[in-house]
Every structure is written in structure tokens, then in C-alpha cells.
Amino acid sequence: MTSKVLLVTGDAAESLEVFYPYQRLLEEGYEVDIAAPTKKKLQFVVHDFVDGYDTYTEKPGYTWPADLALADVDPARYVALVIPGGRAPEYLRNNADVKRIVQHFFEADKPVAQICHGPLITAAAGVLTGRRSAAYPALEPDVAAAGAEYVDGEAVVDGVVVSARAWPDHPAWIRAFIEVLRVKAPLA
């Protein structure tokens, strides 16, 4: 099996939540493919926390090309899955191919990293039941409605699933995910 990781995202994904895991996994020696609804240049966003705001602000972020369309993804070719946050999960969770892909990783007990609004996707795929998961704190009711225990933590490890709240958690989140990868999906 190749040492390829799949990153599922789309327009309005949070820039840091795409690029931090993408670059760290490349640095570790994994190949990373970005899959989106269509193979095109994606427009990411920047979510920032501003004093006096009740939630984050959103500004235009980087653009980056998707490597392949979700319909063309064969999840068996990948050792792990990354699900960034931002607003992309709000619409990706309704995509039948995303559900098919996510269910494969959970059924095969392959490593999955999800952050921020990413658990909206795993909840919609029906794979969070009985698990523990972090998410952006406003998603606590969504995580609970999916049958999971919400955990307010920077790197929540539940078997091979590693979750976090948002980009400030990146160092702990990716460190924990790489530890899982080294055990479950070591480099070939």
C-alpha cells in the first residue's frame, strides 16, 4: 500500500486547517491528495478571532488546486484521511461521495484527523456514534446529536480518530495524528 493521505475539502475551507496538515504530512514523507467536489482551483478563507466578536470573522484566504474530484476517489488507495474545517463541511456533508469515502476509513479502522467544523462530515456519515470528539465549541450540540461525546480539547484521540477544536490546536492535533500514523500507517 502506498503512503498516501487523502484531504477532503472545498471552497470556504479554513486556510490554515488545510495547509498546516497538508505541509506537515508532506514533511513527514506522506503523499497528500486534495479531493473536492470538482477538480478546480479552490478558494479558502481565513477565520480569525477578534476581541468583542461572539464568533470568528471570515476573510478571503489562499487559493489552491484540488488534485481530484470526490467522485473519482478510491479510498482504498489511501492510508489516512484529513477533514479540515471552515464552512466547507457545511455543504460537503451532503455529498454522497464524501459519505462513501468517510465510511470506508471508519470501517477499515484507518487514521482520521478532523478539526473545527470537520465533525459535521463524520456526523452526517453516521460514524461518530459512541465516539469522543472535539470540534469547534459551537458544534457541541451537533456532536452530541450524532451520538458522540463532545470533548473540549486540543488533541482528542479516540482509537485512530484524532480531533481538535480549531487552528490554534494545530501543534497538539497534528503531533497526535502523526503518532497514530506511525503505528497504523507507517511510511512504506
Side-chain angles (χ1 to χ4, degrees):
M1 180 180 286
T2 63
S3 296
K4 292 181 81 169
V5 175
L6 182 66
L7 192 149
V8 171
T9 195
D11 288 323
E14 210 296 321
S15 294
L16 286 174
E17 293 174 5
V18 172
F19 286 117
Y20 188 83
Y22 178 78
Q23 292 173 331
R24 278 294 292 119
L25 291 166
L26 290 175
E27 181 183 16
E28 286 293 318
Y30 291 90
E31 293 180 53
V32 182
D33 282 344
I34 296 177
T38 60
K39 185 178 176 180
K40 67 170 192 161
K41 184 182 279 189
L42 300 169
Q43 176 64 60
F44 301 138
V45 297
V46 173
H47 287 163
D48 202 359
F49 303 98
V50 177
D51 289 341
Y53 275 62
D54 292 328
T55 188
Y56 53 83
T57 61
E58 183 173 283
K59 300 166 187 74
Y62 296 104
T63 59
W64 195 261
D67 297 305
L68 68 164
L70 292 166
D72 297 330
V73 170
D74 175 2
R77 295 182 59 228
Y78 298 92
V79 298
L81 174 66
V82 176
I83 307 171
R87 283 188 299 114
E90 293 174 8
Y91 65 89
L92 289 173
R93 65 183 165 173
N94 298 310
N95 183 298
D97 285 308
V98 169
K99 292 176 187 177
R100 168 184 63 83
I101 292 163
V102 168
Q103 288 165 351
H104 166 85
F105 283 91
F106 277 78
E107 290 166 5
D109 200 36
K110 293 180 181 179
V112 175
Q114 61 180 358
I115 190 167
C116 196
H117 285 71
L120 289 175
I121 291 174
T122 51
V127 296
L128 278 187
T129 303
R131 293 195 168 269
R132 299 169 64 247
S133 182
Y136 186 67
L139 269 62
E140 182 176 356
D142 301 278
V143 170
E149 175 191 347
Y150 173 80
V151 180
D152 185 8
E154 64 182 5
V156 176
V157 180
D158 182 358
V160 295
V161 181
V162 182
S163 57
R165 297 167 296 200
W167 58 260
D169 295 339
H170 277 162
W173 175 58
I174 292 299
R175 184 171 40 252
F177 185 57
I178 288 171
E179 288 174 10
V180 170
L181 281 175
R182 287 178 177 153
V183 172
K184 290 289 284 184
L187 289 167

